[in-house]
Amino acid sequence: MHFPALHSQTWYPVRNWRAGDAGADREMAAVLTVAGSLTRFIERHYGMALELKVHDQFVDSLHSDEAELLGCHGGAPALRRQVSLMHRGSVMFDAESVLPLDELPADLMQQLEEGEKPLGNLLMDRGLSLARSDLAVAQVDGDAVHAGRWARRSVLRSPAGTRALVVEIFHPEIWKRIERMGRRY
């Protein structure tokens, strides 16, 4: 739904990415490269309470590039979750999470199905430390809906073995609100 052309994007690992050279300011770079929970970072640093809107959640097969990042076999079953994070009725960013079913605890699956919290918050609320690897950014090209928007992709891992590939695409409104909120904080 949200991410039809992202498999063909050029992703830049954050360790090699230069925000200024890419036209991203300091605030954009901070958001795009945060290693912990993005939702909690935005809520704490900018005072923006984000609401979750679940668009779709279904069992699917892993694409080969997703499987490679997750250390799985292509075609393996996975839970695919497509959401938007909103602030005061406006979409700030869309996210798609892909979680291999072989290591997805039943109680976490149930919480995801309830659709009340973002994935990172659910993992952290379970007392799990969150490790984010393979963090990369892209400025979307070629897709009419998302063209020019910033996106990031990473793999979340918990010590309990839960893994998820997460892709987030940022709407222009988030940068406007961060600029306004940043003046207050």
mmCIF file of all heavy atoms in Angstrom, residues 1 4 6 21 27 38 53 61-62 65 71 75 79 90 102 106 114 132 136 159 167 169 171-172 178 180:
data_model
loop_
_atom_site.group_PDB
_atom_site.id
_atom_site.type_symbol
_atom_site.label_atom_id
_atom_site.label_comp_id
_atom_site.label_asym_id
_atom_site.label_seq_id
_atom_site.Cartn_x
_atom_site.Cartn_y
_atom_site.Cartn_z
ATOM 1 N N MET A 1 0.812 -1.199 0.000
ATOM 2 C CA MET A 1 0.000 0.000 0.000
ATOM 3 C C MET A 1 0.859 1.267 0.000
ATOM 4 O O MET A 1 0.785 2.060 -0.905
ATOM 5 C CB MET A 1 -0.917 -0.011 1.215
ATOM 6 C CG MET A 1 -1.763 1.216 1.334
ATOM 7 S SD MET A 1 -2.700 1.172 2.850
ATOM 8 C CE MET A 1 -2.828 2.885 3.152
ATOM 9 N N PRO A 4 5.308 0.894 -2.683
ATOM 10 C CA PRO A 4 5.476 0.059 -3.871
ATOM 11 C C PRO A 4 6.831 0.167 -4.564
ATOM 12 O O PRO A 4 7.295 -0.794 -5.138
ATOM 13 C CB PRO A 4 4.357 0.543 -4.793
ATOM 14 C CG PRO A 4 4.069 1.930 -4.343
ATOM 15 C CD PRO A 4 4.305 1.917 -2.860
ATOM 16 N N LEU A 6 9.914 1.228 -3.170
ATOM 17 C CA LEU A 6 11.076 1.402 -2.305
ATOM 18 C C LEU A 6 12.143 0.340 -2.489
ATOM 19 O O LEU A 6 13.289 0.544 -2.112
ATOM 20 C CB LEU A 6 10.655 1.486 -0.843
ATOM 21 C CG LEU A 6 9.938 2.785 -0.498
ATOM 22 C CD1 LEU A 6 9.618 2.831 0.981
ATOM 23 C CD2 LEU A 6 10.737 4.000 -0.895
ATOM 24 N N ASP A 21 25.320 17.467 2.663
ATOM 25 C CA ASP A 21 25.527 17.226 1.232
ATOM 26 C C ASP A 21 24.243 16.778 0.546
ATOM 27 O O ASP A 21 24.063 16.998 -0.649
ATOM 28 C CB ASP A 21 26.602 16.158 1.010
ATOM 29 C CG ASP A 21 27.986 16.621 1.463
ATOM 30 O OD1 ASP A 21 28.177 17.842 1.674
ATOM 31 O OD2 ASP A 21 28.867 15.750 1.606
ATOM 32 N N GLU A 27 17.853 19.192 12.026
ATOM 33 C CA GLU A 27 16.671 18.543 12.605
ATOM 34 C C GLU A 27 16.261 17.315 11.790
ATOM 35 O O GLU A 27 15.914 16.278 12.343
ATOM 36 C CB GLU A 27 15.499 19.527 12.714
ATOM 37 C CG GLU A 27 15.747 20.699 13.643
ATOM 38 C CD GLU A 27 15.950 20.297 15.098
ATOM 39 O OE1 GLU A 27 15.460 19.236 15.532
ATOM 40 O OE2 GLU A 27 16.624 21.057 15.817
ATOM 41 N N LEU A 38 11.752 5.849 17.144
ATOM 42 C CA LEU A 38 11.507 7.113 16.451
ATOM 43 C C LEU A 38 10.321 7.843 17.070
ATOM 44 O O LEU A 38 10.371 9.053 17.296
ATOM 45 C CB LEU A 38 11.261 6.866 14.963
ATOM 46 C CG LEU A 38 10.902 8.083 14.128
ATOM 47 C CD1 LEU A 38 12.026 9.114 14.153
ATOM 48 C CD2 LEU A 38 10.581 7.676 12.705
ATOM 49 N N LYS A 53 -2.341 4.935 13.319
ATOM 50 C CA LYS A 53 -3.474 4.522 12.488
ATOM 51 C C LYS A 53 -3.004 3.316 11.688
ATOM 52 O O LYS A 53 -2.092 3.425 10.867
ATOM 53 C CB LYS A 53 -3.909 5.634 11.554
ATOM 54 C CG LYS A 53 -5.066 5.230 10.658
ATOM 55 C CD LYS A 53 -5.500 6.355 9.753
ATOM 56 C CE LYS A 53 -6.654 5.901 8.873
ATOM 57 N NZ LYS A 53 -7.063 6.954 7.951
ATOM 58 N N SER A 61 4.659 -13.122 2.186
ATOM 59 C CA SER A 61 5.960 -13.766 1.990
ATOM 60 C C SER A 61 7.035 -12.690 1.897
ATOM 61 O O SER A 61 6.813 -11.629 1.300
ATOM 62 C CB SER A 61 5.962 -14.570 0.692
ATOM 63 O OG SER A 61 5.009 -15.606 0.769
ATOM 64 N N LEU A 62 8.203 -12.976 2.468
ATOM 65 C CA LEU A 62 9.308 -12.028 2.415
ATOM 66 C C LEU A 62 9.846 -11.902 0.996
ATOM 67 O O LEU A 62 10.050 -12.901 0.307
ATOM 68 C CB LEU A 62 10.449 -12.492 3.317
ATOM 69 C CG LEU A 62 10.229 -12.380 4.815
ATOM 70 C CD1 LEU A 62 11.387 -13.034 5.561
ATOM 71 C CD2 LEU A 62 10.085 -10.929 5.235
ATOM 72 N N ASP A 65 15.024 -9.105 -1.006
ATOM 73 C CA ASP A 65 15.828 -8.072 -0.349
ATOM 74 C C ASP A 65 15.479 -7.949 1.129
ATOM 75 O O ASP A 65 16.343 -7.719 1.966
ATOM 76 C CB ASP A 65 15.715 -6.728 -1.071
ATOM 77 C CG ASP A 65 14.294 -6.216 -1.193
ATOM 78 O OD1 ASP A 65 13.350 -7.025 -1.205
ATOM 79 O OD2 ASP A 65 14.120 -4.985 -1.301
ATOM 80 N N GLY A 71 18.016 -11.786 7.506
ATOM 81 C CA GLY A 71 18.720 -13.051 7.711
ATOM 82 C C GLY A 71 17.803 -14.253 7.610
ATOM 83 O O GLY A 71 17.958 -15.236 8.334
ATOM 84 N N GLY A 75 10.726 -15.686 0.575
ATOM 85 C CA GLY A 75 9.472 -16.423 0.539
ATOM 86 C C GLY A 75 8.997 -16.895 1.898
ATOM 87 O O GLY A 75 7.884 -17.416 2.014
ATOM 88 N N LEU A 79 4.697 -11.273 8.998
ATOM 89 C CA LEU A 79 3.601 -10.347 9.257
ATOM 90 C C LEU A 79 4.008 -9.006 8.661
ATOM 91 O O LEU A 79 5.089 -8.496 8.944
ATOM 92 C CB LEU A 79 3.355 -10.193 10.759
ATOM 93 C CG LEU A 79 2.265 -9.186 11.132
ATOM 94 C CD1 LEU A 79 0.891 -9.702 10.689
ATOM 95 C CD2 LEU A 79 2.282 -8.905 12.622
ATOM 96 N N SER A 90 -3.009 15.014 11.169
ATOM 97 C CA SER A 90 -2.196 15.021 9.947
ATOM 98 C C SER A 90 -1.144 13.917 10.004
ATOM 99 O O SER A 90 -0.531 13.698 11.046
ATOM 100 C CB SER A 90 -1.479 16.364 9.775
ATOM 101 O OG SER A 90 -2.412 17.398 9.575
ATOM 102 N N ASP A 102 8.444 -16.900 12.147
ATOM 103 C CA ASP A 102 9.065 -18.003 12.874
ATOM 104 C C ASP A 102 9.511 -17.634 14.283
ATOM 105 O O ASP A 102 9.592 -18.492 15.148
ATOM 106 C CB ASP A 102 10.232 -18.606 12.082
ATOM 107 C CG ASP A 102 11.384 -17.637 11.864
ATOM 108 O OD1 ASP A 102 11.197 -16.411 12.025
ATOM 109 O OD2 ASP A 102 12.485 -18.119 11.515
ATOM 110 N N ALA A 106 3.506 -15.075 20.302
ATOM 111 C CA ALA A 106 2.048 -14.969 20.141
ATOM 112 C C ALA A 106 1.490 -13.731 20.830
ATOM 113 O O ALA A 106 0.600 -13.067 20.286
ATOM 114 C CB ALA A 106 1.372 -16.227 20.680
ATOM 115 N N GLU A 114 -3.976 -5.641 17.891
ATOM 116 C CA GLU A 114 -4.818 -4.657 18.579
ATOM 117 C C GLU A 114 -4.629 -3.263 17.995
ATOM 118 O O GLU A 114 -5.525 -2.430 18.075
ATOM 119 C CB GLU A 114 -4.513 -4.668 20.084
ATOM 120 C CG GLU A 114 -4.988 -5.939 20.767
ATOM 121 C CD GLU A 114 -4.465 -6.092 22.188
ATOM 122 O OE1 GLU A 114 -3.753 -5.183 22.689
ATOM 123 O OE2 GLU A 114 -4.756 -7.127 22.802
ATOM 124 N N ARG A 132 18.958 -1.269 16.629
ATOM 125 C CA ARG A 132 18.600 -0.939 15.255
ATOM 126 C C ARG A 132 19.874 -1.083 14.424
ATOM 127 O O ARG A 132 20.887 -0.487 14.742
ATOM 128 C CB ARG A 132 18.068 0.489 15.175
ATOM 129 C CG ARG A 132 17.491 0.855 13.828
ATOM 130 C CD ARG A 132 16.954 2.282 13.823
ATOM 131 N NE ARG A 132 15.862 2.527 14.732
ATOM 132 C CZ ARG A 132 14.579 2.384 14.433
ATOM 133 N NH1 ARG A 132 14.229 1.975 13.238
ATOM 134 N NH2 ARG A 132 13.646 2.662 15.325
ATOM 135 N N ALA A 136 19.573 3.033 7.088
ATOM 136 C CA ALA A 136 19.906 3.695 5.831
ATOM 137 C C ALA A 136 18.821 4.703 5.484
ATOM 138 O O ALA A 136 17.664 4.547 5.893
ATOM 139 C CB ALA A 136 20.046 2.660 4.717
ATOM 140 N N PRO A 159 16.676 -8.718 22.144
ATOM 141 C CA PRO A 159 17.463 -9.832 22.673
ATOM 142 C C PRO A 159 16.687 -11.157 22.660
ATOM 143 O O PRO A 159 17.287 -12.216 22.630
ATOM 144 C CB PRO A 159 17.778 -9.408 24.108
ATOM 145 C CG PRO A 159 17.636 -7.932 24.114
ATOM 146 C CD PRO A 159 16.583 -7.611 23.093
ATOM 147 N N VAL A 167 10.424 0.316 7.413
ATOM 148 C CA VAL A 167 10.647 1.392 6.454
ATOM 149 C C VAL A 167 9.680 2.512 6.810
ATOM 150 O O VAL A 167 8.490 2.270 7.028
ATOM 151 C CB VAL A 167 10.403 0.917 4.999
ATOM 152 C CG1 VAL A 167 10.552 2.080 4.025
ATOM 153 C CG2 VAL A 167 11.350 -0.211 4.631
ATOM 154 N N ILE A 169 8.464 6.534 5.713
ATOM 155 C CA ILE A 169 8.488 7.612 4.725
ATOM 156 C C ILE A 169 7.868 8.841 5.382
ATOM 157 O O ILE A 169 6.742 8.792 5.883
ATOM 158 C CB ILE A 169 7.697 7.257 3.455
ATOM 159 C CG1 ILE A 169 8.305 6.045 2.779
ATOM 160 C CG2 ILE A 169 7.672 8.449 2.499
ATOM 161 C CD1 ILE A 169 7.568 5.612 1.531
ATOM 162 N N HIS A 171 6.293 12.554 5.597
ATOM 163 C CA HIS A 171 5.488 13.522 4.862
ATOM 164 C C HIS A 171 6.060 14.919 5.101
ATOM 165 O O HIS A 171 6.632 15.180 6.169
ATOM 166 C CB HIS A 171 4.033 13.458 5.316
ATOM 167 C CG HIS A 171 3.328 12.221 4.865
ATOM 168 N ND1 HIS A 171 2.192 12.259 4.111
ATOM 169 C CD2 HIS A 171 3.610 10.898 5.042
ATOM 170 C CE1 HIS A 171 1.786 11.017 3.851
ATOM 171 N NE2 HIS A 171 2.636 10.175 4.405
ATOM 172 N N PRO A 172 5.903 15.845 4.170
ATOM 173 C CA PRO A 172 6.446 17.198 4.337
ATOM 174 C C PRO A 172 5.955 17.893 5.616
ATOM 175 O O PRO A 172 6.679 18.688 6.203
ATOM 176 C CB PRO A 172 5.954 17.943 3.091
ATOM 177 C CG PRO A 172 5.723 16.871 2.074
ATOM 178 C CD PRO A 172 5.280 15.661 2.850
ATOM 179 N N ILE A 178 7.986 20.058 13.130
ATOM 180 C CA ILE A 178 9.207 19.968 13.927
ATOM 181 C C ILE A 178 9.849 21.345 14.034
ATOM 182 O O ILE A 178 10.312 21.744 15.115
ATOM 183 C CB ILE A 178 10.196 18.926 13.345
ATOM 184 C CG1 ILE A 178 9.701 17.528 13.724
ATOM 185 C CG2 ILE A 178 11.622 19.170 13.811
ATOM 186 C CD1 ILE A 178 10.508 16.390 13.138
ATOM 187 N N ARG A 180 8.287 24.243 13.920
ATOM 188 C CA ARG A 180 7.456 25.028 14.853
ATOM 189 C C ARG A 180 7.652 24.569 16.294
ATOM 190 O O ARG A 180 7.798 25.373 17.203
ATOM 191 C CB ARG A 180 5.983 24.935 14.468
ATOM 192 C CG ARG A 180 5.608 25.797 13.303
ATOM 193 C CD ARG A 180 4.104 25.965 13.180
ATOM 194 N NE ARG A 180 3.369 24.731 13.140
ATOM 195 C CZ ARG A 180 2.916 24.131 12.032
ATOM 196 N NH1 ARG A 180 3.140 24.665 10.856
ATOM 197 N NH2 ARG A 180 2.252 23.007 12.108
#
